[in-house]
Amino acid sequence: MTTTARPARTAAENEPAAWVTCSQCRSLVYGKRYIRLLQVCPECGAHARLDALGRIRQLFDGGTAQPVRVPETLVNPLDFVDQRPYGERLDQARRKTGQQDSVLVVRGRIDGRPLVAAVMDFRFFGGSLGVAAGEAITTAAETALKDRTPLLIVTASGGARMQEGALSLMQMAKTSNALAELDEAGLLTITLVTDPTYGGVAASFATLSDVVVAEPGARMGFAGPRVIEQTIRQKLPPGFQTAEFLLEHGLVDDVWQRTELRARLSRLLAATEVPGPSWGAGEEDPVVRDSQLLDQLPAWECVQLAREAGRPTALEHIGYWLDGFVELHGDRAGEECAAIVGGIGRLDGLPVMVIGHQKGHTTAELVSRNFGMPSPAGYRKAARLMRLAAKLGMPVVTLIDTPGAYPGLTAEESGQSNAIAENLRLMGSLTVPVVAVVTGEGGSGGALALGVADRVLVCANATYSVISPEGCAAILWKNAAEAAVAADELALDAASLLRLGVVDGVIPEPEGGGHTDTTVMSDAVRRAVVVALRELRGTTTSGAARRARFRAFGLADGAHLQTSTGATATAGSTERDR
């Protein structure tokens, strides 16, 4: 017996067919193997549709998923009739699926970590959002709030249920406000987008979660492709609204293979587990806080070392220090910027949000990362991740290494100045500890947009400046060849920055520069960050001290100023002394 792996094929069928034909590539797959592969074609990777029960079995630890009772709702509130009475259609859907409506709500565990899940089933009226489905999503959110556990929503829907009229429409607001309560409570929310997710579901709870991921090929949008083509009278590009398209345009955080879902969800859930007060107690501080103890290289030599292509990148630091890192993408407004990377991981067991400029080593890597020069989307992505960290009570660590913000036409059209300014304001008000490390080039406002922190550290051969030496020389000396002279005058090297109080300490590098032993350099940065966070975890973080730190820059030595929050800004001292 041979069957075709239709999109509607479900995991609820007890006995798989002997052979299954993939609907995408037409390959024959042994039925039992197909089930073991979670209904993913081994040849082309096409993901067949799972029903709600099948999805729950796939994701949750065996025997842990327990149903959550959903309050009764109105049935056929409009007495709607098209070619058949809506009531008859409901009865048929219930008999066919064995479910009361399109959403199942359960409590359970993934790798022993608790969560609540609302799982949509496309078999039931195309997963459409009616009063019962809206109540189920809301009940799931309220259950997560009561249990103080994360919420997972698995979407599969054609949109709102027309047969329930305006009451169906109201579910969009009802469910969105339910997620807002989880935001206010600081609870993690995750959406898994499966194929398809459209209309009122996409335009409400599906896209409001903290982390939105999608299965390969899953489609999501407000209007369907056919409606869009009829409206604009244009042919849509291949792959439009697929998960891969959404990732490229910054609308989802990532695309995850079905076989990876449990492990990756477990990583995210682990980020809600906070270690005790003794965290980091055994770490020794490598930071030098007295500029007289530093061997000061000529400023221009520091510039060359800061730009050395072999220095560790942000992703390399992340890979060295963090366990269970989950990278998050996109500004959720239509763009992704590869010049800034960020995500959640565990630093010696402490959940942290790490955000950094990303360059690369080869020409191809540098080009793909725009040479570490972020667009407005990069700064807006960083802002989104910082807000998420604040919601979850998670420290923020930033790694700064950029020649500057991208100065191109598209950046100006997209509001580069505004994106940088918004980050400066946001970072000054974050209610979690913030540690910034200048690991390479600290180029102007594009660097500072990740640099408003409680602790600002700099690697020994890194630089931090209002402008590049070449730019300064071209403007003031009328000769770019005077860049070395300009570098000296700008006081952009680590020792000068420490004397000025712009940075709180200097992280030593291996002899010859960080590129000569990237492991040693990265470990030094890790230890410095651990010590800084260890100190900050023991203090109340409101943003007031951070603002006072920056308020003092430019005051005459010894001047004191009382800020509006009561914090004292003092010139001529390091932040630790204030």
Side-chain angles (χ1 to χ4, degrees):
M1 176 181 179
T2 301
T3 65
T4 299
R6 306 177 306 279
R9 182 174 175 82
T10 73
E13 296 172 357
N14 294 325
E15 292 296 330
W19 293 91
V20 175
T21 303
C22 174
S23 61
Q24 296 289 327
C25 68
R26 311 304 298 174
S27 296
L28 275 177
V29 186
Y30 184 51
K32 290 185 177 179
R33 182 189 182 201
Y34 190 61
I35 296 300
R36 287 197 303 272
L37 293 174
L38 307 177
Q39 298 195 43
V40 177
C41 175
E43 299 299 325
C44 71
H47 287 51
R49 191 171 294 145
L50 297 181
D51 64 36
L53 285 174
R55 181 71 65 177
I56 290 167
R57 284 196 295 268
Q58 176 224 336
L59 292 177
F60 284 86
D61 297 347
T64 66
Q66 299 297 321
V68 173
R69 181 183 173 277
V70 177
E72 292 184 8
T73 56
L74 296 171
V75 179
N76 194 9
L78 307 183
D79 290 326
F80 193 94
V81 179
D82 47 44
Q83 296 179 5
R84 289 173 57 196
Y86 173 50
E88 289 184 10
R89 294 185 185 275
L90 272 177
D91 290 340
Q92 182 182 19
R94 286 170 174 169
R95 287 193 301 271
K96 179 181 177 182
T97 63
Q99 298 171 193
Q100 287 300 297
D101 212 271
S102 60
V103 180
L104 295 183
V105 181
V106 296
R107 287 184 177 96
R109 292 179 178 270
I110 295 179
D111 284 343
R113 298 183 172 101
L115 79 159
V116 174
V119 183
M120 305 191 79
D121 195 323
F122 194 79
R123 297 175 306 156
F124 197 106
F125 269 85
S128 54
L129 179 63
V131 295
E135 183 61 32
I137 297 293
T138 303
T139 296
E142 291 172 348
T143 302
L145 183 62
K146 178 183 176 182
D147 294 353
R148 304 294 303 177
T149 59
L151 173 67
L152 168 67
I153 301 173
V154 183
T155 62
S157 176
R161 193 170 298 176
M162 295 176 288
Q163 296 91 334
E164 296 183 7
L167 286 176
S168 173
L169 182 65
M170 294 304 107
Q171 305 309 306
M172 294 172 63
K174 174 178 176 175
T175 54
S176 297
N177 285 309
L179 262 71
E181 291 190 21
L182 297 182
D183 290 337
E184 293 161 4
L187 295 174
L188 176 66
T189 55
I190 307 166
T191 293
L192 170 60
V193 177
T194 73
D195 189 60
T197 297
Y198 279 108
V201 169
S204 59
F205 60 87
T207 49
L208 290 179
S209 292
D210 301 318
V211 179
V212 179
V213 297
E215 286 193 326
R219 295 165 295 164
M220 182 173 72
F222 181 60
R226 190 175 303 173
V227 172
I228 296 172
E229 286 185 335
Q230 290 173 350
T231 301
I232 67 174
R233 308 292 182 185
Q234 294 178 15
K235 188 71 175 174
L236 297 173
F240 180 71
Q241 293 183 323
T242 63
E244 295 74 18
F245 173 93
L246 298 170
L247 179 61
E248 182 182 350
H249 288 82
L251 298 172
V252 297
D253 285 290
D254 213 342
V255 178
W256 292 353
Q257 296 288 332
R258 187 173 291 169
T259 53
E260 300 174 339
L261 287 175
R262 267 182 55 86
R264 290 182 178 245
L265 287 171
S266 179
R267 288 183 182 182
L268 279 177
L269 297 177
T272 64
E273 300 170 350
V274 181
S278 62
W279 176 84
E283 200 66 74
E284 293 185 7
D285 190 1
V287 174
V288 177
R289 304 182 190 279
D290 183 347
S291 62
Q292 295 182 355
L293 300 178
L294 295 170
D295 294 328
Q296 185 170 357
L297 295 173
W300 184 242
E301 189 173 337
C302 289
V303 170
Q304 303 308 307
L305 287 170
R307 295 173 178 174
E308 169 60 51
R311 293 177 75 84
T313 66
L315 285 176
E316 287 167 343
H317 283 299
I318 287 168
Y320 183 82
W321 323 337
L322 297 188
D323 295 317
F325 179 66
V326 178
E327 186 174 356
L328 305 176
H329 299 86
D331 66 354
R332 295 277 180 89
E335 292 187 65
E336 160 65 356
C337 173
I340 284 185
V341 297
I344 297 171
R346 298 189 313 281
L347 175 60
D348 294 352
L350 177 70
V352 292
M353 180 73 75
V354 180
I355 303 165
H357 298 97
Q358 178 68 17
K359 288 182 177 178
H361 300 300
T362 67
T363 300
E365 289 173 348
L366 289 166
V367 169
S368 70
R369 300 288 181 175
N370 201 29
F371 296 87
M373 295 186 293
S375 68
Y379 293 113
R380 290 175 182 138
K381 173 171 67 174
R384 178 173 76 85
L385 299 188
M386 286 187 272
R387 291 189 184 98
L388 174 55
K391 169 188 166 176
L392 299 176
M394 184 181 296
V396 173
V397 177
T398 64
L399 302 175
I400 297 168
D401 184 13
T402 179
Y406 180 56
L409 174 64
T410 56
E412 293 300 318
E413 291 174 339
S414 299
Q416 184 72 286
S417 297
N418 175 261
I420 292 171
E422 288 288 348
N423 272 25
L424 300 178
R425 177 168 62 180
L426 171 64
M427 293 191 77
S429 60
L430 289 174
T431 55
V432 293
V434 184
V435 176
V437 182
V438 184
T439 62
E441 291 183 275
S444 193
L448 184 61
L450 296 186
V452 182
D454 300 292
R455 297 284 190 276
V456 181
L457 306 174
V458 63
C459 291
N461 296 315
T463 60
Y464 204 0
S465 178
V466 67
I467 191 172
S468 71
E470 295 89 342
C472 179
I475 294 170
L476 298 182
W477 278 264
K478 313 300 182 186
N479 183 0
E482 298 293 328
V485 176
D488 280 329
E489 296 297 326
L490 287 167
L492 47 66
D493 59 282
S496 299
L497 294 166
L498 184 57
R499 281 195 296 271
L500 290 168
V502 171
V503 302
D504 301 303
V506 177
I507 302 172
E509 295 188 23
E511 185 176 353
H515 61 287
T516 64
D517 194 330
T518 57
T519 299
V520 168
M521 179 175 175
S522 192
D523 186 61
V525 176
R526 180 195 65 79
R527 288 185 286 123
V529 169
V530 168
V531 171
L533 289 177
R534 181 181 68 200
E535 295 173 353
L536 292 168
R537 285 187 83 211
T539 62
T540 300
T541 306
S542 65
R546 196 178 310 130
R547 288 175 174 173
R549 179 188 195 281
F550 285 84
R551 175 66 179 85
F553 287 129
L555 290 175
D557 283 354
H560 295 270
L561 183 72
Q562 198 76 14
T563 69
S564 60
T565 61
T568 300
T570 304
S573 64
T574 66
E575 193 276 344
R576 172 172 283 193
D577 295 326
R578 295 177 191 139

